[in-house]
């Protein structure tokens, strides 16, 4: 499978940052696949939602104790129903098992989380980890990141240490983002 066109939306208001990540998995084979997706969370982030699209409809997941989640997931897979299971793998990494990804088809998921904006003096910092553990299958194409920053205090500049960002400001709202193809 490949990971295609991930879209990241960030909303920053005061000291809170909300993230919505919409990865799409594409099955490049003629067989039904199960994907294991590792997703890094920023330090001190809190997961707020996990969802999959089943028959074109967004279906929210619930966070369960690991053994209970795995047992339910394996039972659903045996019955060939569309499940997804999400678990924490350490403090800042989650693992999602996604089934099925149809032959030559796609499966969209959504991960939402919240984190605090790091503030030091007049500098505010929001982190989104673009790293993934090495050795994982799949490729990424067409990454889009957009951030909407609401602040009654005028923002002097927006900077990314890794990507060239486009920035526009209108009143108390600054929009920053980039697209990578």
């Amino acid at each position: 499978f490949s990971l295609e066109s991930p879209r990241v939306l960030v909303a920053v208001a005061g000291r809170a940052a909300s993230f919505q990540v919409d990865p799409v998995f594409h099955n490049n084979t003629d067989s039904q696949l199960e994907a294991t997706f590792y997703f890094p969370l920023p330090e001190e982030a809190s997961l707020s939602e996990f969802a999959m699209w089943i028959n074109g409809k967004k279906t929210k997941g619930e966070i369960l104790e690991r053994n209970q989640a795995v047992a339910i997931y394996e039972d659903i897979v045996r019955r060939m129903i569309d499940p997804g299971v999400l678990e924490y793998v350490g403090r800042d990494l989650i693992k999602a098992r996604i089934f099925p990804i149809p032959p030559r088809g796609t499966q969209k998921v959504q991960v939402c989380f919240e984190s605090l904006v790091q503030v030091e003096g007049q500098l505010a910092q929001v982190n989104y980890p673009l790293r993934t553990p090495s050795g994982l299958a799949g490729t990424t194409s067409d990454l889009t990141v957009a951030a909407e920053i609401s602040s009654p205090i005028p923002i002097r500049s927006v900077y990314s240490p890794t990507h060239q960002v486009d920035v526009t400001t209108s009143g108390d709202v600054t929009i920053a983002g980039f697209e990578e193809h």
Side-chain angles (χ1 to χ4, degrees):
F1 72 92
S2 58
L3 175 60
E4 297 183 348
S5 305
R7 186 178 59 149
V8 180
L9 302 174
V10 185
V12 179
R15 297 273 326 262
S18 299
F19 297 79
Q20 175 184 312
V21 185
D22 297 317
V24 177
F25 297 90
H26 184 263
N27 181 346
N28 301 308
T29 74
D30 293 324
S31 302
Q32 185 167 269
L33 292 179
E34 173 184 31
T36 301
F37 174 51
Y38 289 87
F39 185 83
L41 290 174
E43 199 171 306
E44 306 299 324
S46 171
L47 185 66
S48 56
E49 184 179 308
F50 174 74
M52 283 180 49
W53 271 251
I54 299 173
N55 298 322
K57 182 181 175 196
K58 181 178 176 181
T59 305
K60 292 182 182 182
E62 64 179 282
I63 300 172
L64 302 172
E65 189 272 327
R66 183 187 188 284
N67 291 337
Q68 181 185 10
V70 169
I72 291 170
Y73 179 84
E74 289 173 353
D75 178 57
I76 289 172
V77 168
R78 274 192 300 279
R79 292 185 285 135
M80 302 298 286
I81 300 173
D82 298 345
V85 70
L86 187 70
E87 64 182 90
Y88 280 96
V89 182
R91 187 182 73 207
D92 57 356
L93 186 66
I94 56 174
K95 178 174 94 171
R97 291 172 60 189
I98 301 157
F99 178 84
I101 305 175
R104 303 284 173 199
T106 61
Q107 176 62 61
K108 180 180 174 184
V109 298
Q110 186 173 81
V111 179
C112 298
F113 60 92
E114 319 292 324
S115 72
L116 290 176
V117 175
Q118 307 293 321
V119 177
E120 190 173 310
Q122 293 186 356
L123 178 66
Q125 179 176 326
V126 175
N127 292 313
Y128 176 75
L130 288 174
R131 66 172 164 72
T132 11
S134 61
L136 295 180
T139 57
T140 302
S141 62
D142 298 332
L143 172 65
T144 302
V145 177
E148 180 177 299
I149 307 160
S150 301
S151 175
I153 301 168
I155 296 174
R156 291 190 193 151
S157 67
V158 175
Y159 166 76
S160 168
T162 59
H163 294 80
Q164 179 70 35
V165 293
D166 295 318
V167 180
T168 60
T169 300
S170 177
D172 292 349
V173 177
T174 298
I175 306 290
F178 70 89
E179 289 186 25
E180 188 174 89
H181 302 283

